[in-house]
Amino acid sequence: MKSLAVLHASQLVTVAGPRRPRVGPELSELGIICDGGMLIRNGKIEIVGSSAEIENHAGDAEIIDARGKVVLPGFVDAHTHLVFAGNRLDDFERRARGDSYEEIAKAGGGIWSTVEKTRAASESELLAQAQKHVDWFLRCGTTTVESKSGYGLTLEDELKILQVMRRLKQETPLEIVPTFLGAHAVPREVRADEYVDLVVNEMLPRVTSDSLAEFCDVFCERGYFDIEQSRRILNRAKNLGLKLRVHADQLSNSGAAKLAAELKAGTADHLEKIDSQGIATLKSANVQPVLLPGSVYALGSTCYPPARDMIAAGLAVAIATDFNPGSSPTASMPMVLSLACTHMKMSSAEALSASTINPAYSLGRGDQIGSLEPGKAANFSVFDCYDYRELAYWFGFPQAHSVYVKGKKAY
Ligand code: NIG
Ligand code: FE
């Protein structure tokens, strides 16, 4: 593989720093190099520095001229539901008429309607649709996504979704981190307790013996899985060697954030309804919050999670798209940056750390991705602007110029 030399970026945003997630004022330290460059060999970053320094070492490397452009670490999207069939246009229309997420679910829409379509789809149909989703992520500058199952809700259908993720990982440039979310909803045909038994006794052992997931997640929420059921599933997952993430305190303050802390989960996600006690509990167990403003926006709510309180408490905040057909149909991390700044009062710099290095740590990959530093994978994007703050400022249209994964052009 030929070496690459990136030269003359108006800003090379390295996000270099300590070998751990960023907290407090560290979130604002981006390690920007003006007229910056990078030398890349065998898919890894070898040198990061001024363009003059890189030119000295470039030899016969292929040159990427980033003049007038910003170079950033590829976004790491730590919460997505990447694989599903169809869409939820009916829900979208109902919401526009004023119905709530819960009302729509009761009336036959919601997660269940996507489950029916996903069960009916073959593995190759799901793969074809998911390849389109992968393309959307890459075009927005995202190079790694966490991806949850959860629209199958039978052993067979959950395995089918996880197999699609495995194939996407092999067949597309996007790096995919699989999460088992069998406990996304209770399927219509069984009682809740029977379904929890199925997840614990059949699904989790099979998913782990086939090495199909790294993480286990549960939708811990009124009408989905309560604290006791969630605890049972997550404990079993942990015993089988999976790391934990939790959909917590999204629609109600159910104490799920506290459960995440009790079980030493890696992340607690959503947290729109968390209170100050919940925040303190997350801090005491070093759980990373993953905030999903795209779902607040798309549900037409104004209840954004209290990011400022979390940053003040010293939590290593991450932001993510929550890409899914129901509550957050976006693959755009720049849109999420815009929402984080406009509605959660994060600065552009904080939002950038929260979409690169912090989610990388939340996925157990902080030493490999999430910043532009020697030794890390050459996952980066080139944006058609002079200043990184323009990413969150201009909104609603694409600004990515090109995107590289392990030194190879992916868009
Ligand atoms: O993260 N909260 C649960 N799961 C998704 C919604 C999934 C759906 O509506 O299809 C979420 O918002
Ligand atoms: Fe989600």
mmCIF file of all heavy atoms in Angstrom, residues 79-81 148 181 184 217 247 250 270 292 322 324 327, ligand 2:
data_model
loop_
_atom_site.group_PDB
_atom_site.id
_atom_site.type_symbol
_atom_site.label_atom_id
_atom_site.label_comp_id
_atom_site.label_asym_id
_atom_site.label_seq_id
_atom_site.Cartn_x
_atom_site.Cartn_y
_atom_site.Cartn_z
ATOM 1 N N HIS A 79 -23.828 4.894 19.061
ATOM 2 C CA HIS A 79 -25.194 4.393 19.301
ATOM 3 C C HIS A 79 -25.972 4.463 17.997
ATOM 4 O O HIS A 79 -26.434 5.535 17.582
ATOM 5 C CB HIS A 79 -25.875 5.249 20.379
ATOM 6 C CG HIS A 79 -27.238 4.768 20.788
ATOM 7 N ND1 HIS A 79 -27.617 4.656 22.112
ATOM 8 C CD2 HIS A 79 -28.329 4.392 20.067
ATOM 9 C CE1 HIS A 79 -28.881 4.233 22.180
ATOM 10 N NE2 HIS A 79 -29.328 4.072 20.937
ATOM 11 N N THR A 80 -26.110 3.317 17.332
ATOM 12 C CA THR A 80 -26.951 3.264 16.131
ATOM 13 C C THR A 80 -27.725 1.948 16.092
ATOM 14 O O THR A 80 -27.332 0.961 16.701
ATOM 15 C CB THR A 80 -26.149 3.359 14.801
ATOM 16 O OG1 THR A 80 -25.643 2.069 14.435
ATOM 17 C CG2 THR A 80 -24.995 4.350 14.885
ATOM 18 N N HIS A 81 -28.836 2.002 15.365
ATOM 19 C CA HIS A 81 -29.612 0.786 15.060
ATOM 20 C C HIS A 81 -29.533 0.664 13.530
ATOM 21 O O HIS A 81 -30.409 1.126 12.817
ATOM 22 C CB HIS A 81 -31.057 0.953 15.524
ATOM 23 C CG HIS A 81 -31.211 1.324 16.987
ATOM 24 N ND1 HIS A 81 -31.681 0.452 17.932
ATOM 25 C CD2 HIS A 81 -30.953 2.484 17.659
ATOM 26 C CE1 HIS A 81 -31.728 1.056 19.125
ATOM 27 N NE2 HIS A 81 -31.288 2.293 18.985
ATOM 28 N N LYS A 148 -26.641 -1.868 16.834
ATOM 29 C CA LYS A 148 -27.430 -2.748 17.700
ATOM 30 C C LYS A 148 -28.374 -3.623 16.892
ATOM 31 O O LYS A 148 -28.972 -3.153 15.925
ATOM 32 C CB LYS A 148 -28.283 -1.901 18.648
ATOM 33 C CG LYS A 148 -27.463 -0.947 19.506
ATOM 34 C CD LYS A 148 -28.381 -0.018 20.298
ATOM 35 C CE LYS A 148 -27.622 1.190 20.832
ATOM 36 N NZ LYS A 148 -26.569 0.875 21.784
ATOM 37 N N LEU A 181 -29.092 -6.325 21.185
ATOM 38 C CA LEU A 181 -30.195 -5.637 21.862
ATOM 39 C C LEU A 181 -31.481 -6.455 21.692
ATOM 40 O O LEU A 181 -32.504 -5.972 21.224
ATOM 41 C CB LEU A 181 -30.346 -4.199 21.297
ATOM 42 C CG LEU A 181 -31.488 -3.308 21.793
ATOM 43 C CD1 LEU A 181 -31.444 -3.061 23.294
ATOM 44 C CD2 LEU A 181 -31.509 -1.968 21.067
ATOM 45 N N HIS A 184 -35.125 -5.156 23.149
ATOM 46 C CA HIS A 184 -35.491 -3.838 22.608
ATOM 47 C C HIS A 184 -36.984 -3.600 22.822
ATOM 48 O O HIS A 184 -37.431 -2.484 23.023
ATOM 49 C CB HIS A 184 -35.138 -3.811 21.109
ATOM 50 C CG HIS A 184 -35.152 -2.450 20.493
ATOM 51 N ND1 HIS A 184 -35.145 -2.252 19.140
ATOM 52 C CD2 HIS A 184 -35.163 -1.206 21.042
ATOM 53 C CE1 HIS A 184 -35.149 -0.955 18.878
ATOM 54 N NE2 HIS A 184 -35.170 -0.291 20.012
ATOM 55 N N ASP A 217 -27.132 -4.550 25.288
ATOM 56 C CA ASP A 217 -27.900 -3.350 25.629
ATOM 57 C C ASP A 217 -29.326 -3.784 25.974
ATOM 58 O O ASP A 217 -29.765 -4.864 25.539
ATOM 59 C CB ASP A 217 -27.889 -2.424 24.401
ATOM 60 C CG ASP A 217 -28.413 -1.016 24.657
ATOM 61 O OD1 ASP A 217 -29.021 -0.783 25.705
ATOM 62 O OD2 ASP A 217 -28.205 -0.158 23.772
ATOM 63 N N HIS A 247 -30.047 1.667 27.344
ATOM 64 C CA HIS A 247 -30.973 2.739 26.980
ATOM 65 C C HIS A 247 -31.639 3.182 28.281
ATOM 66 O O HIS A 247 -32.466 2.440 28.831
ATOM 67 C CB HIS A 247 -32.067 2.230 26.043
ATOM 68 C CG HIS A 247 -31.696 2.191 24.602
ATOM 69 N ND1 HIS A 247 -30.855 1.254 24.066
ATOM 70 C CD2 HIS A 247 -32.071 2.997 23.566
ATOM 71 C CE1 HIS A 247 -30.739 1.471 22.760
ATOM 72 N NE2 HIS A 247 -31.467 2.518 22.436
ATOM 73 N N GLN A 250 -34.910 7.607 29.096
ATOM 74 C CA GLN A 250 -35.245 8.345 27.864
ATOM 75 C C GLN A 250 -36.620 9.009 27.978
ATOM 76 O O GLN A 250 -36.747 10.208 27.823
ATOM 77 C CB GLN A 250 -35.224 7.410 26.643
ATOM 78 C CG GLN A 250 -35.662 8.116 25.347
ATOM 79 C CD GLN A 250 -35.764 7.185 24.136
ATOM 80 O OE1 GLN A 250 -35.671 5.972 24.270
ATOM 81 N NE2 GLN A 250 -35.939 7.763 22.975
ATOM 82 N N HIS A 270 -29.072 8.102 26.125
ATOM 83 C CA HIS A 270 -30.291 8.948 26.107
ATOM 84 C C HIS A 270 -30.257 9.926 27.278
ATOM 85 O O HIS A 270 -29.832 11.049 27.123
ATOM 86 C CB HIS A 270 -31.589 8.131 26.142
ATOM 87 C CG HIS A 270 -32.000 7.615 24.806
ATOM 88 N ND1 HIS A 270 -32.491 8.424 23.818
ATOM 89 C CD2 HIS A 270 -31.988 6.367 24.290
ATOM 90 C CE1 HIS A 270 -32.774 7.698 22.754
ATOM 91 N NE2 HIS A 270 -32.470 6.443 23.007
ATOM 92 N N LEU A 292 -28.218 11.721 22.742
ATOM 93 C CA LEU A 292 -28.757 11.460 21.410
ATOM 94 C C LEU A 292 -29.754 12.546 21.010
ATOM 95 O O LEU A 292 -30.969 12.295 20.932
ATOM 96 C CB LEU A 292 -29.421 10.070 21.423
ATOM 97 C CG LEU A 292 -28.517 8.960 22.004
ATOM 98 C CD1 LEU A 292 -29.324 7.688 22.286
ATOM 99 C CD2 LEU A 292 -27.375 8.641 21.049
ATOM 100 N N ASP A 322 -28.001 7.850 17.216
ATOM 101 C CA ASP A 322 -29.146 6.972 17.489
ATOM 102 C C ASP A 322 -29.845 6.593 16.180
ATOM 103 O O ASP A 322 -31.058 6.348 16.171
ATOM 104 C CB ASP A 322 -30.135 7.627 18.459
ATOM 105 C CG ASP A 322 -31.178 6.656 19.001
ATOM 106 O OD1 ASP A 322 -30.971 5.433 18.880
ATOM 107 O OD2 ASP A 322 -32.202 7.116 19.545
ATOM 108 N N ASN A 324 -31.963 5.325 13.610
ATOM 109 C CA ASN A 324 -32.982 4.262 13.590
ATOM 110 C C ASN A 324 -34.188 4.788 12.829
ATOM 111 O O ASN A 324 -34.320 5.999 12.632
ATOM 112 C CB ASN A 324 -33.330 3.817 15.027
ATOM 113 C CG ASN A 324 -34.208 4.814 15.757
ATOM 114 O OD1 ASN A 324 -35.386 4.974 15.459
ATOM 115 N ND2 ASN A 324 -33.628 5.529 16.732
ATOM 116 N N SER A 327 -37.237 6.899 15.878
ATOM 117 C CA SER A 327 -37.060 8.132 16.639
ATOM 118 C C SER A 327 -35.904 8.990 16.159
ATOM 119 O O SER A 327 -35.772 10.130 16.611
ATOM 120 C CB SER A 327 -36.853 7.789 18.117
ATOM 121 O OG SER A 327 -35.649 7.072 18.282
HETATM 122 FE FE FE B 2 -31.375 3.697 20.530
#
